[in-house]
Amino acid sequence: RATETTLKSAPETQDQTQHEHSHSHVAGAHKSDCHDSHCSGCVRQSEAERLGITSFVYRQRRPFHPSRLHTLASDVENQLGGVVRSKGVVWLASRPHAMALWQHAASRVELTRGEPWFATMDELEPELLAEVKQKSGWDDKFGDRQQEVVVIGLSMDKQAVT
């Protein structure tokens, strides 16, 4: 249900924060129609939010099964309903020593070999290892191996995608 808010302009000698402001605010809805910088009753909504575009980062400490990932990549548009783009680092069970780089847009999927995981390197300088551990969320069992993919979609169901 809508409520109407109206503030009338005050004479010039009064507080200049008062101003004329008249439009409907539907309870619980985003108020993207108001462009008045003095209005405190509006909730700003980005262009992406208005269009239903959302994103999240998928993180997991289990490797992908190569044939299941291949099945997904072969039919990505049907398998990942609402997802329009995804990109990141993946860990394949069949390649425990090197990360893979995943890129997907529409029906196109690209999976390429990436750098070795730090966890597989024999000797690392202590300063570098400390930095990697801090930035990667190092796991005692898996090291820096993980899935980390940014997923962007249009009216996507995050639960169904993950």
Side-chain angles (χ1 to χ4, degrees):
R1 127 185 163 166
T3 59
E4 190 75 20
T5 304
T6 304
L7 295 175
K8 295 292 179 189
S9 295
E12 300 229 358
T13 58
Q14 292 188 3
D15 185 0
Q16 293 299 312
T17 61
Q18 291 182 343
H19 60 280
E20 188 168 305
H21 182 90
S22 177
H23 65 265
S24 295
H25 285 194
V26 177
H30 291 285
K31 286 73 173 188
S32 59
D33 60 334
C34 180
H35 302 289
D36 188 331
S37 63
H38 296 293
C39 180
S40 62
C42 296
V43 176
R44 302 288 182 215
Q45 187 179 32
S46 72
E47 185 81 14
E49 288 171 320
R50 284 196 299 278
L51 296 173
I53 299 170
T54 58
S55 67
F56 68 94
V57 177
Y58 173 77
R59 287 187 179 92
Q60 188 60 253
R61 288 283 182 179
R62 264 180 75 184
F64 282 132
H65 187 281
S67 63
R68 290 187 197 133
L69 189 60
H70 182 267
T71 299
L72 171 72
S74 299
D75 192 25
V76 73
E77 287 182 296
N78 290 321
Q79 297 281 330
L80 296 177
V83 176
V84 294
R85 175 98 166 94
S86 59
K87 180 180 181 177
V89 175
V90 297
W91 171 22
L92 297 173
S94 59
R95 297 186 181 210
H97 297 291
M99 58 183 75
L101 306 176
W102 167 273
Q103 293 196 58
H104 147 251
S107 62
R108 182 168 186 228
V109 175
E110 184 177 293
L111 190 64
T112 57
R113 184 179 176 106
E115 298 294 321
W117 295 106
F118 283 104
T120 65
M121 296 179 181
D122 290 332
E123 292 185 29
L124 285 176
E125 294 188 24
E127 298 84 21
L128 178 58
L129 182 58
E131 183 180 340
V132 168
K133 284 183 175 186
Q134 180 186 13
K135 288 184 179 180
S136 71
W138 191 269
D139 181 89
D140 289 336
K141 184 176 180 182
F142 303 119
D144 59 329
R145 294 182 193 99
Q146 65 180 321
Q147 318 298 344
E148 189 172 73
V149 179
V150 175
V151 181
I152 303 167
L154 182 61
S155 302
M156 71 178 159
D157 179 357
K158 180 180 174 182
Q159 296 294 347
V161 171
T162 58

Coordinates of all heavy atoms in Angstrom, one line a residue, residues 56-62 64 89-91 135-137 145-151 158 162:
F56 N 27.6 -13.5 -6.7 CA 28.2 -14.0 -5.5 C 29.5 -14.7 -5.8 O 29.8 -15.0 -7.0 CB 27.2 -15.0 -4.8 CG 26.9 -16.3 -5.5 CD1 27.6 -17.4 -5.2 CD2 25.9 -16.3 -6.5 CE1 27.4 -18.6 -5.9 CE2 25.7 -17.5 -7.2 CZ 26.4 -18.6 -6.9
V57 N 30.2 -15.1 -4.8 CA 31.5 -15.8 -4.9 C 31.3 -17.2 -4.4 O 30.9 -17.4 -3.2 CB 32.7 -15.1 -4.2 CG1 33.9 -16.0 -4.4 CG2 32.9 -13.7 -4.8
Y58 N 31.5 -18.2 -5.3 CA 31.4 -19.6 -4.9 C 32.7 -20.0 -4.4 O 33.7 -19.9 -5.1 CB 30.9 -20.4 -6.0 CG 30.9 -21.9 -5.7 CD1 29.9 -22.5 -5.0 CD2 32.0 -22.7 -6.2 CE1 30.0 -23.9 -4.7 CE2 32.0 -24.1 -6.0 CZ 31.0 -24.6 -5.2 OH 31.1 -26.0 -4.9
R59 N 32.8 -20.5 -3.1 CA 34.0 -21.0 -2.5 C 33.8 -22.4 -2.0 O 32.8 -22.6 -1.3 CB 34.5 -20.1 -1.4 CG 35.1 -18.8 -1.9 CD 35.7 -18.0 -0.7 NE 36.3 -16.7 -1.2 CZ 35.6 -15.6 -1.3 NH1 34.4 -15.5 -0.8 NH2 36.2 -14.5 -1.7
Q60 N 34.7 -23.3 -2.2 CA 34.6 -24.6 -1.7 C 36.0 -25.2 -1.6 O 36.8 -25.0 -2.4 CB 33.7 -25.4 -2.7 CG 33.3 -26.8 -2.3 CD 32.5 -26.8 -1.0 OE1 33.0 -27.2 0.1 NE2 31.3 -26.4 -1.1
R61 N 36.2 -26.1 -0.6 CA 37.4 -26.7 -0.3 C 37.4 -28.2 -0.8 O 38.2 -29.0 -0.3 CB 37.8 -26.7 1.2 CG 38.2 -25.3 1.6 CD 39.6 -25.0 1.2 NE 39.9 -23.7 1.7 CZ 41.1 -23.1 1.6 NH1 42.1 -23.8 0.9 NH2 41.4 -22.0 2.1
R62 N 36.6 -28.5 -1.7 CA 36.6 -29.9 -2.3 C 36.8 -29.7 -3.8 O 36.3 -28.8 -4.4 CB 35.2 -30.5 -2.2 CG 35.0 -31.4 -1.0 CD 33.6 -31.9 -0.9 NE 33.4 -33.0 -1.9 CZ 32.3 -33.5 -2.1 NH1 31.2 -33.2 -1.4 NH2 32.1 -34.5 -3.0
F64 N 36.6 -30.3 -7.8 CA 35.6 -30.8 -8.8 C 36.0 -32.1 -9.4 O 37.1 -32.3 -9.7 CB 35.4 -29.7 -9.9 CG 34.7 -28.5 -9.5 CD1 35.2 -27.3 -9.9 CD2 33.4 -28.6 -8.9 CE1 34.5 -26.1 -9.6 CE2 32.7 -27.4 -8.6 CZ 33.2 -26.2 -8.9
V89 N 39.0 -19.4 -10.2 CA 40.0 -20.5 -10.1 C 39.3 -21.7 -9.6 O 38.5 -21.6 -8.6 CB 41.1 -20.0 -9.1 CG1 42.1 -21.2 -8.8 CG2 41.8 -18.8 -9.6
V90 N 39.6 -22.9 -10.2 CA 39.0 -24.1 -9.8 C 40.1 -25.2 -9.5 O 41.2 -25.1 -10.1 CB 38.0 -24.7 -10.8 CG1 36.8 -23.7 -11.0 CG2 38.6 -24.9 -12.2
W91 N 39.7 -26.1 -8.7 CA 40.6 -27.2 -8.3 C 40.0 -28.5 -8.8 O 38.8 -28.8 -8.5 CB 40.7 -27.2 -6.8 CG 41.4 -28.3 -6.1 CD1 42.3 -29.2 -6.7 CD2 41.2 -28.7 -4.8 NE1 42.7 -30.1 -5.8 CE2 42.0 -29.8 -4.6 CE3 40.4 -28.3 -3.7 CZ2 42.2 -30.5 -3.4 CZ3 40.5 -28.9 -2.5 CH2 41.4 -30.0 -2.3
K135 N 46.3 -14.5 2.8 CA 45.4 -14.0 1.7 C 44.5 -15.2 1.2 O 43.4 -14.9 0.7 CB 46.2 -13.5 0.5 CG 46.8 -12.1 0.8 CD 47.5 -11.5 -0.4 CE 48.0 -10.1 -0.1 NZ 48.7 -9.6 -1.2
S136 N 44.9 -16.4 1.2 CA 44.2 -17.5 0.6 C 43.2 -18.2 1.6 O 42.5 -19.1 1.2 CB 45.1 -18.5 0.1 OG 45.8 -19.2 1.1
G137 N 43.3 -17.8 2.9 CA 42.5 -18.6 3.9 C 43.1 -20.0 4.0 O 42.3 -21.0 3.9
R145 N 44.5 -24.8 -2.1 CA 43.6 -25.4 -3.1 C 42.1 -25.1 -2.7 O 41.7 -25.3 -1.5 CB 43.8 -26.9 -3.1 CG 45.2 -27.3 -3.6 CD 45.2 -28.8 -3.7 NE 46.5 -29.3 -3.9 CZ 47.3 -29.7 -2.9 NH1 47.0 -29.7 -1.6 NH2 48.5 -30.2 -3.2
Q146 N 41.4 -24.6 -3.7 CA 40.0 -24.3 -3.4 C 39.3 -23.9 -4.7 O 40.0 -23.6 -5.7 CB 39.8 -23.2 -2.4 CG 40.4 -21.8 -2.9 CD 40.2 -20.8 -1.8 OE1 39.2 -20.7 -1.2 NE2 41.2 -19.9 -1.7
Q147 N 38.0 -23.9 -4.7 CA 37.2 -23.3 -5.8 C 37.0 -21.8 -5.4 O 36.6 -21.6 -4.2 CB 35.9 -24.0 -5.9 CG 35.8 -25.5 -5.8 CD 36.7 -26.2 -6.9 OE1 37.0 -25.6 -7.9 NE2 37.0 -27.4 -6.7
E148 N 37.1 -20.9 -6.3 CA 36.8 -19.5 -6.0 C 36.3 -18.9 -7.3 O 37.1 -18.5 -8.1 CB 38.0 -18.8 -5.4 CG 37.6 -17.4 -4.9 CD 38.7 -16.7 -4.2 OE1 39.6 -16.3 -4.8 OE2 38.6 -16.6 -2.9
V149 N 35.0 -18.9 -7.5 CA 34.4 -18.5 -8.8 C 33.4 -17.4 -8.5 O 32.5 -17.6 -7.7 CB 33.8 -19.7 -9.5 CG1 33.2 -19.3 -10.8 CG2 34.8 -20.8 -9.7
V150 N 33.5 -16.3 -9.2 CA 32.5 -15.2 -9.2 C 31.4 -15.6 -10.2 O 31.7 -15.9 -11.3 CB 33.1 -13.9 -9.6 CG1 32.1 -12.8 -9.6 CG2 34.2 -13.5 -8.6
V151 N 30.2 -15.6 -9.7 CA 29.0 -16.0 -10.5 C 28.1 -14.8 -10.6 O 27.7 -14.2 -9.6 CB 28.3 -17.1 -9.8 CG1 27.1 -17.6 -10.7 CG2 29.2 -18.3 -9.6
K158 N 20.5 -18.8 -6.3 CA 21.8 -19.1 -5.8 C 21.9 -20.5 -5.2 O 22.9 -21.2 -5.5 CB 22.2 -18.1 -4.7 CG 23.6 -18.4 -4.1 CD 23.9 -17.3 -3.0 CE 25.2 -17.7 -2.3 NZ 25.6 -16.8 -1.3
T162 N 24.6 -23.4 -6.6 CA 25.6 -24.0 -5.8 C 25.3 -25.4 -5.5 O 26.1 -26.2 -5.1 CB 25.8 -23.2 -4.5 OG1 24.6 -23.2 -3.8 CG2 26.3 -21.8 -4.7

